[in-house]
Every structure is written in structure tokens, then in C-alpha cells.
Amino acid sequence: MILKVSMEDLSYDLKNCFLHCALSQEDYVVKRKRTVRQWIAAGFIREKEENRTLEEVAEGYLAELVNRSLLQVVKRNHFGRLKHCRMHDVIRLLALNKAKEECFGKVYDGSAATGAFSVEGARRISVQGGNVEQLSRSGATQLRALLVFERCIDIDLLKPILTSSNLLSMLDLQGTRIKMLPDEVFNLFNLRYLGLRGTEIESLPEAVGRLQNLEVLDAWDSKLTYLPKNVVKPQKLRYLYIYVHGAFEIGVKVPNDIQHLVGLRALQCVKATPKFLREVAALTELRSFSAYLVRTEHSADLSNAIIKMSHLVHLVLVTDADDEVLQLEGLYLPPTLSWLGLAGQLEKTWMHQHFSFWSHLNSLTRLELSFSSIDEQNFSCLFVLHGLLFLVLLKAFEGKRLDFYAGSFPKLKHLWVWGATHLNQVGIEEGAMQNLVELFFIDCPELKILPDGIKHLAALEKLLLKDTSEELVEKLRRREIQMNAAKI
């Protein structure tokens, strides 16, 4: 009764968000970003407060469901932000009964016990069984969402439902083994969310241009290496996620005229070309942007594009090759930036000055540098990043000594130094990195002694030394033996 009262007390929009989570499988891990995108596409989120985006309102709803104990926190990210959550079995059972009672949605498991399953009256169907023959014979004129959780499914058996579901706004096929979408999908004029994450889809037809109301196209971790020309026609597109394993080296090909998608918030893992970089400058609403195969000659177009992305939060730039110079002179990074990843050589003649210009990046919490050729002097310039929580140096530091002075990186919690082949000494002054929790040194063969001053890291919980010198490993082994002997 207490739980039922708690559910009845939810506002209309919050109740819809809660019941939507209940349509997932039992013990299913609800992911924040995906859930937020689905809630927005479903129309559950409306901007109610000034200066709050739809995404911020949605995350507020998720936090409220956690605070009401209707969702349990499974994982937070490195910054303490909610990442994954789960619904308790008892709460899910009550929620599913409520969803059925209010015609919000039903679960179809494909078992014989399901009997003559009908979708009539249900506005949302969660498919959690591979046998969809019964489902395909049901009418679906009122269906708004079709969520498929079964990996092995015959997509052709869903054609009758897709044909009759003129109101369908959400089709999520995440994780299924489908290789091709049926033509019926592209007749769904009201479709706002198309989820192809983790599928085996290799290409999309030009018919995708008919989905004029599409807001989310999520093909992350699929086999999609290029986008059709007509993908620029659904001008309501808000999120465009495309990534293939190995595409970090080649990037995903994006068609011309990308500038028409002026409402786009996310565009990731795309191949940089001069024409594309000139067009992407028009996408001023971007929050997340990553470009690959960047070359030195792209510098002017790239700088011009990024300077116009005044809301940018996540930026990743990867060069064509490890020794390609990532020319950032004249590049002004927006103060809204929270995550920055740079992979490529940085020009030493301006590195010192440019790092100093980053002092305005008060929101920057994560910095990943790869193949940057940073030396001792240039590294100290990064101390201007007072808000940094996570720092990764991947084959980026080429000096012999790494020093952390008193007051440096006051909020840093995670430091990963990877592939520093010449590093042989680390110095940590008292008052440096006072909140450091994790310290990793990986593939640093010349590191023969523990960091000098490591005792000052009072908050340190985890020290990882991997592929360092045998001399250091042996010292630690002897120290461990001595400590165990002392306990005995």
C-alpha cells in the first residue's frame, strides 16, 4: 500500500517516466543517457523552468525517482553523477499492473502462457520473447512505442504491426541481430526515436529521409560506416549517434549538407573533411562533438567551427596519424566544456602559451591527451585547470620527471599515466592532489621507485603499477613480505 500511494503521488509526467522504466526486463540496468533521450522523444518531458533544457528536466525526474526509492542506484560515474539504476522486482510488478490498468503499456514474453495476446488498448509494447507470431496477429492501431529486448527476433514478423501503427513514435531494436530494417519502418511518419544501438545494421536506405519527425537516430556500436544522403532531411533530428568498432581510425562518413540539422545536440565519431568542417560550423546547438582523421590543414576550418559551438560540453579531436600535428593555435574552447579529448602531436612552440589560455575552462572535469609530446615544463601549465577531476595521459608525456606542486589539481580524483617510456621519477609535494583517489602508472618501464611524496596523498584508495620496471615490482614485493611478517 505504501508503494501504491507513492506511485499515485507522482505528477502526470513523472508517472509516465516511471511506468516507461517498468517496461524494461526484470533486473534490467536503466542507463541515464538512453533513458533521458527516450523520455524526451516520447513527449514526457516539457521545459517548465527558465534556462533548463529538456535534458536537464529529464535528469531531474530521474533523480526524483531515485530519491523516492522507486529506482535504485547501480552505478555512478567518476564524477559522482548517476549513470545506471535499476527497478526493484516488487516495484516493477506493481508498476506493470498500473501500466496495464491505465493502458500505458504491456509486456509480451512470447510464451505459450501469454495466450491470445492483444495489443489493443496498450499504447506501448515491450517484447521480451523471441516468438512474436501471436503479437504479429494483434491489432496495433493505438501503439506509440515498440521496445524489443529479445536479441534473436524475426523482424519480418513485426511488419503487420509496423504497417498498422501509424502513431508509432518510438522503435527501439537495441541489441537485436537484425541486419536490415523493413521498408515499413520508413512509412512511420510520427517516428521520433529509432534505436539501432548494438545491432548488425550495415546501411540505411535513402528512405530514412521520409522520417520527418525523427529526433533520435542511435546507431552506436552498430556496423554502420556511412550515412545516406537523405539523413539530413529530418530537420528535427536532435541526436545522431554513430560508431563502429575500429572507426576511431577511419571515422564515419557523413553526407553533404549536414548544416541543415540546426537542432542537433550530438554528432560523434565522424570523419573530418574540409567541406564537412565548414558545414558543421552551422550546428551551434551541439553539446557533444567528435571528429576523426583530423589533419593539420583542417586547423582553420576546425577552429572556426568550434568557436561557434557555444554550448559544447564534450569535444574529442583525433588526428589522421600519431605523428600528425593537431594545430590548435587560435582555437578558443567554449567555457561550457566539461570533457576534452585530444589525440595527436601538439606543437611545442605554442603549447606553453595555449595551455595557459585554458584557465577559463572552469567547467572542465575530464582531460584526455594522447601522443601529445608534453615535457616537464609544458605539463606544469596544466595546473591552471583547477576543476579537473580526471586526467589521462596516453603516450602523451615524453619527459623524465613528473612533478606535482603544492596546490596543483585540488579536485583531481583520477590520474592515469600510460606509456610514458622515459618517466623515471615522480614528485608529489604536500598539498598537491589532495583529493586523488586513483593513481595509475601503466607501461612506464623506467619507473624504478614509488612517487616521492606519495604519503601526502591521504585520500588515495587505489595505486596501480603495470608494466613498470622489475626493480620497482621487486621492491614492492619485499615491502609486502615485511609488512606481513610484522603482522605475524
Side-chain angles (χ1 to χ4, degrees):
M1 286 302 298
I2 293 173
L3 291 173
K4 292 178 77 172
V5 169
S6 182
M7 281 190 280
E8 293 292 342
D9 188 47
L10 297 175
S11 65
Y12 177 76
D13 290 337
L14 192 56
K15 182 186 289 186
N16 284 336
C17 293
F18 171 64
L19 294 180
H20 179 271
C21 292
L23 293 177
S24 301
Q25 291 174 304
E26 186 176 342
D27 294 326
Y28 186 80
V29 174
V30 177
K31 297 182 179 180
R32 170 177 52 87
K33 290 183 179 180
R34 179 189 181 214
T35 302
V36 163
R37 292 192 292 267
Q38 289 188 339
W39 286 354
I40 292 173
F44 299 155
I45 308 298
R46 290 170 286 186
E47 294 184 67
K48 294 182 177 180
E49 300 179 22
E50 190 176 354
N51 297 326
R52 292 191 77 195
T53 64
L54 293 174
E55 291 78 8
E56 289 170 339
V57 174
E59 291 195 22
Y61 281 4
L62 194 61
E64 186 170 350
L65 291 176
V66 169
N67 292 337
R68 288 172 176 261
S69 298
L70 294 175
L71 290 176
Q72 302 171 323
V73 176
V74 173
K75 184 178 181 181
R76 294 186 181 275
N77 62 18
H78 291 293
F79 315 122
R81 192 177 181 188
L82 179 65
K83 187 174 183 178
H84 299 156
C85 50
R86 181 185 288 124
M87 186 176 290
H88 191 280
D89 295 348
V90 174
I91 294 177
R92 178 176 177 271
L93 182 60
L94 289 171
L96 286 177
N97 288 334
K98 190 70 174 176
K100 185 175 180 180
E101 177 187 315
E102 297 189 359
C103 297
F104 180 89
K106 293 181 181 179
V107 170
Y108 175 85
D109 62 12
S111 65
T114 306
F117 185 89
S118 174
V119 300
E120 286 296 338
R123 297 192 294 276
R124 295 160 192 87
I125 294 295
S126 174
V127 179
Q128 299 178 16
N131 181 10
V132 294
E133 290 185 20
Q134 297 177 43
L135 184 61
S136 66
R137 293 194 293 267
S138 302
T141 56
Q142 300 300 315
L143 202 61
R144 264 73 164 178
L146 183 61
L147 313 172
V148 180
F149 290 90
E150 178 60 36
R151 184 159 176 77
C152 299
I153 190 168
D154 188 346
I155 191 69
D156 289 336
L157 290 177
L158 293 179
K159 286 183 179 181
I161 289 183
L162 297 174
T163 300
S164 59
S165 303
N166 295 325
L167 299 177
L168 197 72
S169 62
M170 183 179 298
L171 177 61
D172 193 355
L173 302 169
Q174 174 173 320
T176 60
R177 291 180 177 173
I178 60 169
K179 296 184 177 181
M180 185 177 297
L181 288 173
D183 294 338
E184 287 78 3
V185 169
F186 305 103
N187 294 326
L188 299 171
F189 178 77
N190 290 298
L191 196 66
R192 295 181 181 180
Y193 184 104
L194 180 56
L196 304 175
R197 180 173 289 234
T199 64
E200 297 182 8
I201 294 285
E202 296 180 351
S203 63
L204 288 175
E206 295 295 341
V208 72
R210 299 208 300 265
L211 303 176
Q212 290 297 302
N213 288 296
L214 194 65
E215 295 180 9
V216 179
L217 175 54
D218 187 351
W220 191 265
D221 200 21
S222 67
K223 295 186 177 181
L224 201 64
T225 57
Y226 70 94
L227 290 173
K229 294 179 181 179
N230 286 345
V231 77
V232 300
K233 289 189 175 180
Q235 294 183 24
K236 293 182 180 180
L237 205 59
R238 194 178 179 95
Y239 296 99
L240 182 55
Y241 289 103
I242 41 177
Y243 161 70
V244 183
H245 282 301
F248 280 132
E249 299 175 1
I250 59 173
V252 175
K253 296 179 181 178
V254 176
N256 295 335
D257 300 323
I258 195 74
Q259 74 271 16
H260 295 311
L261 301 178
V262 292
L264 210 58
R265 297 296 204 272
L267 181 60
Q268 295 183 332
C269 202
V270 294
K271 181 179 179 179
T273 65
K275 184 173 177 57
F276 165 75
L277 292 174
R278 287 193 292 269
E279 292 180 350
V280 80
L283 307 185
T284 57
E285 292 297 318
L286 278 178
R287 267 66 174 176
S288 182
F289 176 60
S290 58
Y292 294 76
L293 295 185
V294 176
R295 296 182 179 178
T296 305
E297 56 263 33
H298 295 155
S299 302
D301 291 326
L302 185 62
S303 297
N304 183 57
I306 292 174
I307 200 171
K308 295 179 180 179
M309 300 175 187
S310 56
H311 304 291
L312 204 59
V313 173
H314 185 165
L315 174 64
V316 174
L317 303 176
V318 180
T319 56
D320 191 13
D322 297 347
D323 57 354
E324 183 84 21
V325 176
L326 192 59
Q327 188 115 28
L328 301 180
E329 188 174 4
L331 173 63
Y332 177 80
L333 297 174
T336 52
L337 207 60
S338 174
W339 181 319
L340 175 61
L342 303 175
Q345 295 278 346
L346 299 181
E347 198 170 19
K348 288 189 175 182
T349 54
W350 59 263
M351 196 186 301
H352 186 281
Q353 183 181 15
H354 197 79
F355 283 170
S356 301
F357 286 160
W358 287 1
S359 58
H360 71 288
L361 300 178
N362 297 320
S363 298
L364 192 66
T365 55
R366 182 168 183 139
L367 175 63
E368 297 185 9
L369 299 174
S370 305
F371 312 106
S372 306
S373 299
I374 299 173
D375 58 23
E376 290 90 344
Q377 185 179 8
N378 291 326
F379 177 76
S380 64
C381 298
L382 293 176
F383 294 158
V384 298
L385 300 174
H386 301 299
L388 213 58
L389 299 176
F390 206 124
L391 175 60
V392 178
L393 301 175
L394 175 58
K395 296 184 178 180
F397 185 76
E398 63 178 19
K400 293 183 178 181
R401 182 177 174 90
L402 201 53
D403 283 304
F404 298 89
Y405 304 119
S408 60
F409 297 135
K411 296 183 179 180
L412 195 68
K413 291 187 175 182
H414 309 273
L415 173 61
W416 295 2
V417 181
W418 202 315
T421 55
H422 303 295
L423 180 65
N424 56 34
Q425 281 186 302
V426 178
I428 303 171
E429 289 187 0
E430 186 174 1
M433 301 186 293
Q434 292 181 314
N435 289 291
L436 197 68
V437 175
E438 281 186 346
L439 179 58
F440 291 0
F441 290 100
I442 303 171
D443 191 19
C444 301
E446 296 299 315
L447 191 59
K448 300 178 181 179
I449 57 175
L450 280 174
D452 182 27
I454 194 172
K455 62 183 179 182
H456 300 313
L457 303 179
L460 193 65
E461 296 177 3
K462 187 173 183 180
L463 172 64
L464 175 64
L465 302 170
K466 184 178 180 181
D467 294 329
T468 55
S469 68
E470 283 296 324
E471 185 177 335
L472 176 56
V473 173
E474 186 58 33
K475 285 180 181 178
L476 292 175
R477 282 177 182 157
R478 287 200 298 268
R479 179 175 295 186
E480 184 180 14
I481 292 172
Q482 291 172 356
M483 290 176 66
N484 290 336
K487 290 179 182 179
I488 295 173

